[in-house]
Amino acid sequence: MSTDIITTYVPAASEISEEAVLSVRERLSDFLREKWPDLDTRPNSVFGDLFLTPASYMVAGLEEGMNRFMSDLDLENVSNGVIWNCEFVTKYLGNFAVYDRATLQSTGLVRIRFNEDKVYFLDRRTKFGLGGDDTTNLFSLRMPHSGGWDINKVGVTPTANSNNVTLVDAGDGTYFVDVPVVGIMDTQVFAGDESTIDPTIAEIISITALQNFDFGTPPESLSRLAEKTRQTIYAASMGARGPARRFLEKEFPDLKAISVALSGDSVMLRDTVNALGVADGRMDVYSKSTWLTDTQVVTAVYDATEAQFVVKLSLSGRPVYIDSITYGAAGTPLPADTYTILSRTNDVMNANLATAAYSKYEDLYLLVELLVNEAGDELISTGHDADGNKVASFTITYRQDPMLPVLDLTLSSSDVAPVGVNTLVRGFVPIVFTKFNIKYTKRPGTTLRLSDARTEIFNYVNELGHPYLYSDAKIIDAMFYAGASDVREIDVAATVRWSIADAFLPADGADPAEDLTTALSEAVPPPDVTISNSRGLKPEFVDPFVGLSNETLVAVGARNITYVLDKALIEFTEIEEE
Amino acid sequence: MKGLKIEFGTSGADLILDEQVSGSLATVQNGLVNLGTIKGTAPTHVSRGTDLMLKGLRGELVSKTAARHASNFAALNTVVFSRAQDPPGLSDAERIDTLFLTVVGFAGQSMQLEAAFVMADGTEIGATPDIII
């Protein structure tokens, strides 16, 4: 890299202040006097006027140029937007593996849909073309382990520590898997974009991008890159809390929030399940990216004893919030009190009860009551499966965090996983708002931009995650910006959703799909933590029944909460100025 | 102090590259340059120079009284500036204590001044610069 220092960094002579020149001139005089004590360098002297003064200008310019150069090396200045040479700073940040988006790989999820439920194998060299041709937006499988990618038949439990996923029955005669891909994105890939695959597999019906892919580094300024560098350069590994967070921020810059809880933290209850009392290292990595809304049809088997349909959910993504469950062709929503979701760990050694929530260790069961009308007629249309069981189909619309499985895979790689620390990737525990009413005043004649305020508040609240927690001040700011003269009250109500399940099943208890009656008797609902004012939106709560038969191991604190606020829930109430 | 020699004459000043001035003469030479420099034209030192040349060019030196008045201010400005620029450790023989400018007369388009530098050690050095107007 060849840089023209004079035009890039050195200011024009006219920009150099007299004070700077005089200061340099004095210092140069002192400097020369050491070697030539008799040399007349005073103003009006020949040497002073014809050489020293012009030289002082040059040196003063170089001094300022050096200051600017050193400013470009000081990432605090760069992160504050003071950049003198963008080309140099870009290359300099490259030393810390912080690149602009043209050179850093992007990660995203693609959904591969097959027309047959069977075992498939994706070669490690498989290429996905998300640019419509064979030259742009070429992506490869993002695989943490060696070998290719095995795709199991529906219902098969994936093998641990391998590139292994299981087909999901879409309910319409097709089967799909979501796999992470990585590559350099030349043009933006949007959710739903079709992809080609090489080599091809005959049973593949379609491959589509599941989300808007994020450039490896968000399309941000050099100053933002520098700020990120300052955060990540000190240490980025999975060795401890801070470095682990930095590592994930560096690897997945599009994550909205990352938090790490360790043994000893109030929200870490996985370390209490060690039967031998040995304090082994545990690390919970809470992550939040842009949630996707997905819809899936599930078929539940009727349990005549309990008069409920029951199905073990096998959703394509990691659900973090259920929007609705509907039945019938018309998509009639199930009333909230007619269905229940139960949670049970599938690996008690790694995570038990609520500590498995929003993680790969949580199995979910959907229970739906048989709805009948006043005349006793069944409202849910039913059929029979191959074994002759009475079944019904339900459509679940849910939000999933697509990056959770990707983080799971990445952190399970032997290159990344910390030695001697049991790591678990989880979604943040959401605090779901049930009321959000802002009482404000405005000056007569003022028109409020409430739509803007609603959008701003919605974006703000839903982006939060450790270390950024809810603050009334931001809401008030948004209201002032929208034109309100004062905010008198922010009336909120919210509940903590420990899991998308309503109750937890013991690991050694009955399987609801096999013995629903026993399972229901063993189910333990978690404590109900409701929040009735904005001061309560940073709850600190740990299951008071730890060690007892009704323990659920729930815990929330600043490190593991996020917020879910629906836009329609935000209400504005104008009150009279007093 | 040591510097290159400037030779002042009726046609201006010449730089003599193979001759030096040193000691008090170097200071006196600087003082003479200052007298002939128009104040405000030096890029770095705003107080450098005098108004003597400018007043002459403007035609303000219409009488001996006016010329004497302007000369006295020029002498004062030169002494003040010269003292301000003296480096530490400069000997008294090289520091101006007083400068006398005496208007000798007008000759054609020029005014003749007689300058007498009194150094801090009491030495007197006389010089007679021609200020072209």
Side-chain angles (χ1 to χ4, degrees), chain A residues 403-414:
Chain A
M403 293 307 286
L404 287 175
V406 180
L407 257 66
D408 261 333
L409 288 167
T410 303
L411 296 190
S412 68
S413 165
S414 57

Side-chain angles (χ1 to χ4, degrees), chain A residues 209-357:
Chain A
L210 201 57
Q211 67 199 116
N212 293 345
F213 281 23
D214 204 289
F215 285 100
T217 300
E220 293 162 331
S221 62
L222 272 177
S223 56
R224 178 74 185 102
L225 285 180
E227 188 183 341
K228 197 162 282 183
T229 305
R230 295 187 76 220
Q231 292 170 346
T232 58
I233 188 57
Y234 301 111
S237 73
M238 291 302 292
R241 192 201 308 277
R245 191 158 167 259
R246 305 300 181 222
F247 170 80
L248 293 169
E249 282 176 344
K250 180 168 165 285
E251 282 287 304
F252 303 99
D254 47 325
L255 293 180
K256 287 180 176 177
I258 303 170
S259 175
V260 175
L262 299 173
S263 297
D265 286 345
S266 62
V267 297
M268 168 57 80
L269 292 186
R270 287 200 301 134
D271 50 358
T272 62
V273 299
N274 188 324
L276 300 176
V278 178
D280 56 348
R282 302 266 172 157
M283 178 188 287
D284 281 359
V285 176
Y286 293 92
S287 155
K288 183 179 183 183
S289 66
T290 303
W291 289 358
L292 303 175
T293 300
D294 214 341
T295 299
Q296 197 168 323
V297 177
V298 297
T299 302
V301 177
Y302 185 64
D303 184 297
T305 311
E306 296 297 331
Q308 296 199 61
F309 295 94
V310 58
V311 60
K312 181 180 178 183
L313 294 177
S314 176
L315 301 176
S316 60
R318 185 84 49 81
V320 288
Y321 187 76
I322 299 284
D323 283 302
S324 68
I325 300 176
T326 62
Y327 67 94
T332 311
L334 285 173
D337 58 351
T338 61
Y339 68 88
T340 308
I341 297 176
L342 299 178
S343 164
R344 193 172 75 151
T345 178
N346 55 39
D347 188 338
V348 69
M349 294 306 294
N350 280 312
N352 193 16
L353 299 167
T355 63

Side-chain angles (χ1 to χ4, degrees), chain A residues 59-246:
Chain A
V59 174
L62 286 172
E63 268 193 346
E64 177 59 23
M66 283 299 293
N67 285 338
R68 293 176 178 183
F69 178 69
M70 287 157 72
S71 166
D72 275 356
L73 295 176
D74 184 345
L75 297 184
E76 183 175 2
N77 287 345
V78 176
S79 63
N80 286 331
V82 181
I83 302 170
W84 295 99
N85 184 348
C86 291
E87 185 190 4
F88 169 74
V89 171
T90 303
K91 289 181 182 294
Y92 179 58
L93 291 177
N95 290 314
F96 307 107
V98 179
Y99 295 95
D100 61 22
R101 65 190 188 189
T103 54
L104 198 69
Q105 292 189 317
S106 311
T107 295
L109 281 176
V110 293
R111 175 164 292 180
I112 308 176
R113 196 174 291 274
F114 299 86
N115 61 11
E116 193 176 339
D117 179 19
K118 63 183 237 186
V119 172
Y120 298 98
F121 177 74
L122 297 180
D123 189 272
R124 197 175 181 83
R125 293 162 293 180
T126 300
K127 292 287 182 193
F128 295 85
L130 281 150
D133 56 49
D134 294 335
T135 56
T136 56
N137 285 349
L138 286 181
F139 284 75
S140 307
L141 290 161
R142 180 172 186 135
M143 294 186 291
H145 306 288
S146 58
W149 199 290
D150 290 307
I151 299 175
N152 307 315
K153 292 177 71 172
V154 173
V156 174
T157 303
T159 312
N161 299 321
S162 66
N163 306 316
N164 203 280
V165 285
T166 297
L167 280 174
V168 177
D169 186 352
D172 58 0
T174 65
Y175 308 87
F176 64 86
V177 287
D178 297 337
V179 293
V181 293
V182 63
I184 293 174
M185 185 161 57
D186 304 300
T187 56
Q188 173 72 55
V189 175
F190 293 101
D193 281 359
E194 296 278 343
S195 172
T196 59
I197 186 170
D198 181 28
T200 56
I201 296 175
E203 290 83 357
I204 290 180
I205 301 170
S206 66
I207 304 171
T208 51
L210 201 57
Q211 67 199 116
N212 293 345
F213 281 23
D214 204 289
F215 285 100
T217 300
E220 293 162 331
S221 62
L222 272 177
S223 56
R224 178 74 185 102
L225 285 180
E227 188 183 341
K228 197 162 282 183
T229 305
R230 295 187 76 220
Q231 292 170 346
T232 58
I233 188 57
Y234 301 111
S237 73
M238 291 302 292
R241 192 201 308 277
R245 191 158 167 259
R246 305 300 181 222

Side-chain angles (χ1 to χ4, degrees), chain A residues 332-488:
Chain A
T332 311
L334 285 173
D337 58 351
T338 61
Y339 68 88
T340 308
I341 297 176
L342 299 178
S343 164
R344 193 172 75 151
T345 178
N346 55 39
D347 188 338
V348 69
M349 294 306 294
N350 280 312
N352 193 16
L353 299 167
T355 63
Y358 307 111
S359 83
K360 63 181 177 181
Y361 296 126
E362 183 180 41
D363 284 342
L364 295 165
Y365 297 85
L366 172 65
L367 281 54
V368 182
E369 291 178 11
L370 179 63
L371 301 181
V372 292
N373 62 15
E374 291 176 353
D377 301 326
E378 293 182 6
L379 296 176
I380 300 174
S381 58
T382 59
H384 290 86
D385 64 11
D387 299 328
N389 297 315
K390 183 176 178 180
V391 295
S393 292
F394 302 95
T395 302
I396 302 179
T397 302
Y398 66 101
R399 294 177 216 180
Q400 61 151 307
D401 190 327
M403 293 307 286
L404 287 175
V406 180
L407 257 66
D408 261 333
L409 288 167
T410 303
L411 296 190
S412 68
S413 165
S414 57
D415 290 339
V416 174
V419 176
V421 179
N422 181 311
T423 306
L424 175 63
V425 176
R426 297 180 60 183
F428 281 92
V429 177
I431 292 174
V432 181
F433 285 92
T434 53
K435 182 167 70 171
F436 202 101
N437 190 350
I438 302 164
K439 295 175 180 169
Y440 68 95
T441 61
K442 74 177 180 76
R443 291 190 179 85
T446 308
T447 303
L448 258 62
R449 298 183 300 278
L450 290 180
S451 175
D452 292 349
R454 178 177 278 110
T455 301
E456 191 173 336
I457 291 166
F458 171 77
N459 289 337
Y460 163 69
V461 172
N462 286 292
E463 299 271 324
L464 291 171
H466 185 268
Y468 306 106
L469 300 182
Y470 175 87
S471 164
D472 278 346
K474 297 292 170 60
I475 308 299
I476 295 167
D477 275 353
M479 291 302 293
F480 282 164
Y481 189 72
S485 61
D486 199 3
V487 174
R488 295 297 169 85

